[in-house]
Amino acid sequence: MGLAPGIPTWILLIAFGINLGIAGIAIRRRGVRGAVPLAAIMVCVAVYSLGNGILAASTSMSTYRAGLLVKYLGLLGLGPTQFWFGLTYSGRESVLTRRRWALLLAPPVVILGFVVTAQSHDLMWTLDGFVQGPPLANPERENGPIFWLNLLYQYSLIGTTYVIVALFGLRRSGRYRTQATLMLLGGIIPLIASVVFVFGSGPMGSADQTAFAFTFTGIVFAIALFRFDLLDLMPVARHTLVEEMADPVFVVDKDERLVDVNETGAALLDNEGTALGRSATEVMPSYDSLPDGDDSADADVVIESDSGPHYFDINRSTLTDQTGSVIGKLLIYRDVTERRIAEERFQRLIERSSDMVTVLDEGGEFTYVSQPVEKILGYEPPELVGENVVEYIHPDDRQGVVEDLARYVDDYGYSGTYVVRFRDAAGNWRFIEAHATNLLADPFVEGIVLNSRDVTEQLQRKRKLERQNERLDQFASIVAHDLRNPLNVASGRLSLLESDVASHDASIGTIQEQLERMESIIDDSLTLARSGETVTETDEVDLELIAYDAWQSVETGGATLVVETTLQIDGDRNRLRNMFENLFRNSVEHNESADLTVKAGSLPDAVGFYVEDTGAGIPSEERDAVFEQGYTTNAEGTGFGLAIVKDIVQAHGWDISATEGESGGARFVIECHESPMVNQPDTT
């Protein structure tokens, strides 16, 4: 047979078996990513060890050449298979297209041809002086150029492989760095052994230490396989778990163990180094609170920290291998704290608002109802969701709402305000003012938004005020008609008595005075009843002209009017004239008119005007009371004059106060909340 095995041969055959065993384990787990290229490496190492075993046991040159052929069958595959494994480990196996595979394997195939034909040329090597083994065959050899080209090619592929592995390990931490270190150790040792064998002084027939070193590589990879789950969830497309991602990323294997985490995710762990490989429930935040079911479903969790709660949306994706078998889960924790805070703030603003916020679909059904509806109408929000708004509106108010819903349902952005009677939970009708905005085309709303508030009490107050005004008008009409007519009759009869009864002159005079007083009371009552109505229409009024006009309408006796400064103001001309008349009459009636001077003019340091006299003035303790209805110090007065003045001033939105004039008389100051034009009298 040409073989005489010795101890080196048996050791190499044991290595052959170990390597085939590791390859078999990898093949049985070929569904795991990376198993196939690892099995290919181990098969090449096994064939390489077998070839070296044949070489060591050879007793003839022909057997020796056969051993070289077997050895090179394994050797030529080591570079490409390791390169394949390196790319797979780092997640770059897609680089190896069919064309590139062909280019990668072309050199080994050509070199194998040179090995087969090596006896007929010296391009690979020259063998001479064969010394028969065992324990070691020991021929003399001289390497040819193809030998060195093959060596360069293999070293280039193997060196590139471990550069890829080293870079991958440097960019990672924890388990992957340990894995990368083991693989570099397992790969560099046979590389060193090969360099020593090729460039050392030992003859070609000596034992090739590279075969033993590659067996050590297989053992190291086996340790990585069983201790660190190298192939179980070895970097599953690790390039997708970008370390720079702002979101925490975790990888959990099929046994619910944490096997990988990026830097952001590591910040959520107590200790990444001790967390890897442990149960995900123990080390991953809120992992045990994730809902069961579809692994690809999203979930929301809250993680407490020193800075407060953080909210995360968790996306879970199932990881499968090339055969579709489930090998783990990828979890991405997306921090949505700011969004959740904004949503919660918005929700609380809506829920704690005094107004109701509701959303209707195009058919008028409620799709959202805010919490204030319970306080306002007595309904729980879920009671109204799905109900049609029309069914709760008073039958007499429905038509307008239904028509608008139909008319403006396609008019995006349309807004309108409605006041309708709405049935509450107790069956009572409440007046609701609703502002509607059509946002059906808004993808975030998809509805008609109603901002509603209860205006029942407001409308009741308004109607009560209207009824009071109606009664006031009725009172004024009664005073004007029912009292004035008897007065007219009495006045007429008094005139008849004056012509026939001369002896009753005093009585007739008294009756006439009282009738005139009653006439004044009626006129003042009517004026007072209407003086408080808010001024809605104004004209530009000249203070000087209207003051002189009012002065002409009052019995002023010997009093004198002086308008020191005038101005233009916006007001109701008739009411302002009435105001001046009452102010002038008040000054004349409460003072001796012979030497009385009444002044009017604009305020020097404010927007407004004043009226003052040179009379006795008003005591300071009575200055607020003079504006009350019925207050008077004149036995013949009605007490309505200054009350009318105050109502007219307030009807314009102004303020009035009583003070002391420059000469000690009464001074009335009217402050206007506007900017009139001040005109100085022409002195030319």
Side-chain angles (χ1 to χ4, degrees):
M1 293 179 58
L3 293 173
I7 293 176
T9 300
W10 294 113
I11 294 175
L12 288 167
L13 290 177
I14 291 173
F16 168 76
I18 292 173
N19 291 321
L20 281 183
I22 296 174
I25 293 173
I27 287 297
R28 283 197 299 271
R29 304 186 65 176
R30 59 184 175 276
V32 179
R33 189 180 186 86
V36 174
L38 178 59
I41 293 172
M42 293 299 100
V43 169
C44 290
V45 173
V47 174
Y48 185 82
S49 299
L50 178 61
N52 275 287
I54 296 173
L55 290 175
S58 296
T59 58
S60 64
M61 184 61 77
S62 59
T63 306
Y64 189 84
R65 291 184 184 277
L68 282 176
L69 178 60
V70 174
K71 174 182 176 179
Y72 267 81
L73 284 174
L75 177 64
L76 293 174
L78 284 176
T81 54
Q82 290 196 62
F83 184 65
W84 178 20
F85 180 83
L87 292 177
T88 303
Y89 178 76
S90 61
R92 298 183 177 88
E93 69 275 17
S94 59
V95 171
L96 291 177
T97 62
R98 289 185 179 181
R99 179 182 179 84
R100 289 172 179 169
W101 262 118
L103 293 174
L104 185 67
L105 296 177
V109 171
V110 173
I111 292 170
L112 182 60
F114 283 105
V115 173
V116 173
T117 60
Q119 191 173 353
S120 61
H121 58 76
D122 56 1
L123 295 176
M124 281 298 299
W125 52 66
T126 301
L127 297 177
D128 194 15
F130 179 78
V131 177
Q132 183 177 349
L136 296 172
N138 188 17
E140 294 181 2
R141 57 106 175 159
E142 183 178 348
N143 296 323
I146 301 300
F147 173 88
W148 297 110
L149 288 174
N150 174 61
L151 192 66
L152 178 62
Y153 180 71
Q154 296 294 329
Y155 282 178
S156 297
L157 288 179
I158 295 173
T160 301
T161 298
Y162 292 110
V163 168
I164 293 173
V165 172
L167 292 176
F168 181 83
L170 288 174
R171 289 197 298 268
R172 306 303 187 269
S173 59
R175 187 175 70 97
Y176 286 103
R177 185 166 293 179
T178 303
Q179 290 176 341
T181 302
L182 282 175
M183 284 186 288
L184 289 173
L185 178 63
I188 292 176
I189 289 177
L191 191 61
I192 294 173
S194 174
V195 172
V196 171
F197 171 71
V198 173
F199 297 100
S201 58
M204 182 119 179
S206 301
D208 186 354
Q209 299 92 342
T210 308
F212 299 102
F214 270 120
T215 301
F216 174 77
T217 299
I219 295 173
V220 170
F221 272 70
I223 293 173
L225 170 64
F226 297 112
R227 174 62 181 86
F228 297 98
D229 295 328
L230 176 61
L231 298 179
D232 216 14
L233 200 61
M234 200 187 76
V236 181
R238 189 59 170 80
H239 60 281
T240 63
L241 308 181
V242 183
E243 289 293 341
E244 290 75 18
M245 284 183 65
D247 297 327
V249 180
F250 303 90
V251 180
V252 177
D253 68 9
K254 60 184 178 181
D255 296 321
E256 299 293 322
R257 294 175 300 178
L258 177 64
V259 295
D260 197 15
V261 59
N262 68 348
E263 291 184 5
T264 309
L268 299 179
L269 303 175
D270 292 336
N271 189 319
E272 181 194 358
T274 60
L276 294 178
R278 293 172 58 189
S279 171
T281 302
E282 296 178 5
V283 297
M284 284 181 59
S286 301
Y287 184 81
D288 55 347
S289 65
L290 296 179
D292 297 330
D294 185 5
D295 285 341
S296 64
D298 289 347
D300 295 334
V301 298
V302 181
I303 299 176
E304 296 292 340
S305 66
D306 295 338
S307 60
H310 285 261
Y311 298 88
F312 292 88
D313 279 348
I314 300 180
N315 178 268
R316 293 179 291 177
S317 301
T318 300
L319 299 176
T320 59
D321 56 26
Q322 294 173 334
T323 66
S325 300
V326 176
I327 56 175
K329 287 180 289 190
L330 173 69
L331 298 92
I332 301 177
Y333 283 50
R334 188 159 55 92
D335 193 335
V336 293
T337 303
E338 292 185 3
R339 188 193 73 186
R340 287 291 296 273
I341 291 174
E343 290 175 351
E344 185 67 20
R345 181 183 295 115
F346 174 77
Q347 185 70 17
R348 293 190 181 186
L349 288 174
I350 292 295
E351 298 302 337
R352 286 161 175 74
S353 171
S354 59
D355 292 350
M356 298 179 293
V357 178
T358 55
V359 180
L360 307 177
D361 63 14
E362 59 183 6
E365 292 186 358
F366 290 104
T367 59
Y368 171 79
V369 180
S370 65
Q371 192 62 39
V373 73
E374 181 180 4
K375 180 180 179 181
I376 296 173
L377 297 174
Y379 295 107
E380 291 287 343
E383 292 183 63
L384 293 179
V385 174
E387 296 289 322
N388 196 293
V389 66
V390 176
E391 300 299 324
Y392 291 82
I393 297 176
H394 193 282
D396 295 342
D397 300 337
R398 290 177 182 174
Q399 184 176 356
V401 175
V402 172
E403 289 178 354
D404 275 10
L405 281 175
R407 183 183 306 132
Y408 299 111
V409 69
D410 296 324
D411 188 1
Y412 176 73
Y414 167 78
S415 63
T417 302
Y418 308 88
V419 177
V420 298
R421 285 164 287 181
F422 198 94
R423 187 176 69 251
D424 63 15
N428 300 318
W429 295 106
R430 309 288 298 177
F431 283 94
I432 300 297
E433 181 183 73
H435 182 76
T437 304
N438 185 345
L439 298 178
L440 284 165
D442 190 324
F444 296 100
V445 180
E446 296 182 341
I448 299 172
V449 179
L450 301 177
N451 293 87
S452 310
R453 60 192 181 100
D454 188 352
V455 294
T456 304
E457 294 182 0
Q458 177 181 339
L459 291 179
Q460 289 174 344
R461 288 194 299 269
K462 180 179 179 181
R463 291 187 177 183
K464 181 179 179 181
L465 182 61
E466 289 174 349
R467 288 194 296 270
Q468 290 175 343
N469 290 336
E470 290 174 359
R471 288 195 296 270
L472 184 60
D473 288 341
Q474 291 173 355
F475 165 75
S477 298
I478 291 172
V479 170
H481 183 270
D482 295 349
L483 290 181
R484 194 183 296 278
N485 285 343
L487 283 174
N488 290 336
V489 173
S491 297
R493 295 299 176 94
L494 181 62
S495 298
L496 294 175
L497 288 174
E498 287 178 346
S499 61
D500 296 333
V501 187
S503 59
H504 296 284
D505 288 346
S507 298
I508 292 172
T510 300
I511 293 172
Q512 188 171 9
E513 289 176 0
Q514 295 303 313
L515 290 175
E516 290 175 353
R517 175 170 171 73
M518 291 179 67
E519 181 75 20
S520 298
I521 292 174
I522 291 172
D523 291 340
D524 288 349
S525 297
L526 292 174
T527 302
L528 181 64
R530 298 185 175 96
S531 63
E533 297 176 359
T534 302
V535 173
T536 57
E537 296 183 3
T538 61
D539 297 316
E540 189 177 272
V541 179
D542 186 284
L543 178 65
E544 181 180 16
L545 293 179
I546 200 169
Y548 279 118
D549 191 18
W551 184 262
Q552 299 299 323
S553 302
V554 178
E555 294 183 6
T556 58
T560 303
L561 173 66
V562 176
V563 180
E564 295 184 333
T565 308
T566 188
L567 73 162
Q568 303 289 331
I569 56 176
D570 287 333
D572 186 309
R573 183 180 302 274
N574 292 329
R575 292 203 208 180
L576 290 177
R577 175 178 173 176
N578 191 298
M579 178 196 69
F580 278 109
E581 288 175 352
N582 279 280
L583 288 172
F584 295 157
R585 189 180 294 114
N586 182 77
S587 294
V588 172
E589 290 179 353
H590 290 82
N591 298 286
E592 294 292 335
S593 62
D595 57 352
L596 181 70
T597 300
V598 179
K599 297 180 181 179
S602 61
L603 299 177
D605 53 357
V607 178
F609 55 94
Y610 68 89
V611 174
E612 70 175 37
D613 58 49
T614 57
I618 303 172
S620 58
E621 65 273 10
E622 298 181 11
R623 289 171 186 169
D624 291 333
V626 296
F627 296 108
E628 297 177 0
Q629 296 180 17
Y631 179 88
T632 180
T633 57
N634 189 335
E636 297 181 354
T638 63
F640 289 162
L642 292 181
I644 292 172
V645 170
K646 181 178 179 180
D647 282 352
I648 293 174
V649 170
Q650 292 181 341
H652 282 78
W654 304 338
D655 294 320
I656 186 171
S657 60
T659 62
E660 183 177 350
E662 293 180 358
S663 60
R667 177 183 174 94
F668 296 94
V669 177
I670 295 91
E671 295 186 17
C672 306
H673 301 291
E674 58 180 22
S675 299
M677 296 181 297
V678 178
N679 298 325
Q680 300 293 337
D682 190 358
T683 57
T684 59

